[in-house]
Amino acid sequence: MTIDPKQIEEIMSLPYRTRVEKDTCGGKDCYVAYHDELEGCMAQGRTWQEAIEELTIARRDYIAASLKRGLQVPRPIYDPKQAWAVLITQEQHIQQADKTFHAAPGRLPYTADTSLDKIAA
């Protein structure tokens, strides 16, 4: 089956919710990033920024493989309380989230009870 690159780019542009969790990989700290809507689509990195970058590559591969197999790619689930999580990958928000993360080790502030106003302030 031939895949239209425009279709991949269109799906890539959708606002999938991104989660990042601190973990241990081979005895060292690492971060695992994933999309709730794309089961099994995840990536890891030494930093949470690297994990998100790797997740972008994994998402593209996931979408291409799904389309090639004739499968429907799940669409993002919009939740106004959590929609901002995608915005956190923009540079101005990454820096603030990094500060927030160090204040609360273990998880990035990707929860429904944390507002964008608290992160971007």
Side-chain angles (χ1 to χ4, degrees):
M1 173 181 252
T2 305
I3 303 169
D4 180 4
K6 290 180 183 178
Q7 186 179 14
I8 294 173
E9 292 308 314
E10 178 184 319
I11 298 171
M12 284 292 294
S13 71
L14 297 175
Y16 288 99
R17 181 172 176 204
T18 300
R19 287 183 178 266
V20 177
E21 295 179 359
K22 189 172 183 179
D23 203 348
T24 304
C25 305
K28 296 182 179 182
D29 286 346
C30 70
Y31 298 84
V32 179
Y34 59 94
H35 295 300
D36 292 336
E37 302 92 343
L38 304 177
E39 186 176 344
C41 184
M42 61 179 57
Q44 67 182 35
R46 290 173 299 202
T47 65
W48 64 271
Q49 295 94 330
E50 183 179 290
I52 290 173
E53 289 172 10
E54 294 294 325
L55 182 62
T56 300
I57 296 167
R59 183 173 71 243
R60 184 178 305 282
D61 292 345
Y62 180 102
I63 292 166
S66 295
L67 294 175
K68 186 174 182 178
R69 297 169 86 189
L71 301 174
Q72 187 172 7
V73 179
R75 295 300 194 238
I77 300 168
Y78 180 74
D79 180 344
K81 292 180 181 176
Q82 300 171 346
W84 66 268
V86 174
L87 300 176
I88 205 75
T89 61
Q90 294 176 3
E91 184 61 32
Q92 64 191 12
H93 299 295
I94 287 174
Q95 293 171 0
Q96 184 61 40
D98 197 32
K99 292 176 189 171
T100 303
F101 176 77
H102 291 298
R107 283 188 177 235
L108 285 174
Y110 288 5
T111 61
D113 59 348
T114 304
S115 73
L116 180 57
D117 296 335
K118 290 180 185 176
I119 301 302

